[in-house]
């Protein structure tokens, strides 16, 4: 995160230390009120990235991480974390078969949200 933080858009509040949805709401309300005070108009579009972690393309992610000047060593480590991952689901005593993940992020990981904000940063 320290190597990415300076390059991220200042309006990205999710998954960043010291920022929250409350900060995002305050910032957008301030911007809207400032615009209205200057006789401007306000339009808003809200997007819900449904299943966002399932649509992370690893090739695009690594290209973007390279553009952030991420070190080669860190990129190799991250690739080893993502490649050949499998998951299964357990409900009670029943367990599904293993499924290989392709182009997605492990759910519940600390790297998942960070990867997603890198993906949407542009």
């Amino acid at each position: 995160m320290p190597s990415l933080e300076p390059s991220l858009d200042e309006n990205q509040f999710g998954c960043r230390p010291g920022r929250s949805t409350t900060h995002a709401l305050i910032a957008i309300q301030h911007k809207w009120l400032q615009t209205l005070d200057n006789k401007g108009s306000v339009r808003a579009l809200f997007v819900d990235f449904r299943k966002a972690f399932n649509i992370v393309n690893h090739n695009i992610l690594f290209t973007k991480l390279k553009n952030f000047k991420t070190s080669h060593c860190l990129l190799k480590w991250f690739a080893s974390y993502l490649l050949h991952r499998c998951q299964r689901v357990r409900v009670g005593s029943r367990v599904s078969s293993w499924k290989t993940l392709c182009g997605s992020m492990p759910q519940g990981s600390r790297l998942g949200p960070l990867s997603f904000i890198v993906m949407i940063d542009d």
Side-chain angles (χ1 to χ4, degrees), residues 67-83:
N67 292 339
F68 276 101
K69 308 283 190 265
T70 304
S71 73
H72 182 70
C73 181
L74 188 56
L75 288 172
K76 284 180 62 174
W77 172 82
F78 196 39
S80 72
Y81 170 73
L82 291 177
L83 296 176

Side-chain angles (χ1 to χ4, degrees), residues 31-95:
K31 181 69 174 168
W32 288 347
L33 292 174
Q34 190 176 45
T35 300
L36 293 172
D37 286 344
N38 293 324
K39 308 293 187 226
S41 63
V42 174
R43 295 181 187 102
L45 171 68
F46 297 91
V47 178
D48 180 11
F49 290 102
R50 199 169 103 186
K51 298 189 179 190
F53 291 83
N54 295 336
I55 61 169
V56 173
N57 180 303
H58 295 168
N59 292 327
I60 295 171
L61 175 62
F62 281 99
T63 298
K64 290 186 176 203
L65 285 169
K66 286 178 189 175
N67 292 339
F68 276 101
K69 308 283 190 265
T70 304
S71 73
H72 182 70
C73 181
L74 188 56
L75 288 172
K76 284 180 62 174
W77 172 82
F78 196 39
S80 72
Y81 170 73
L82 291 177
L83 296 176
H84 310 297
R85 292 192 68 92
C86 297
Q87 72 177 19
R88 65 181 179 174
V89 177
R90 179 187 312 234
V91 177
S93 62
R94 299 190 59 149
V95 180

Side-chain angles (χ1 to χ4, degrees), residues 53-54 81 85 87 101 104-114:
F53 291 83
N54 295 336
Y81 170 73
R85 292 192 68 92
Q87 72 177 19
L101 299 177
S104 63
M105 294 301 298
Q107 300 294 314
S109 70
R110 302 235 10 195
L111 294 173
L114 177 61

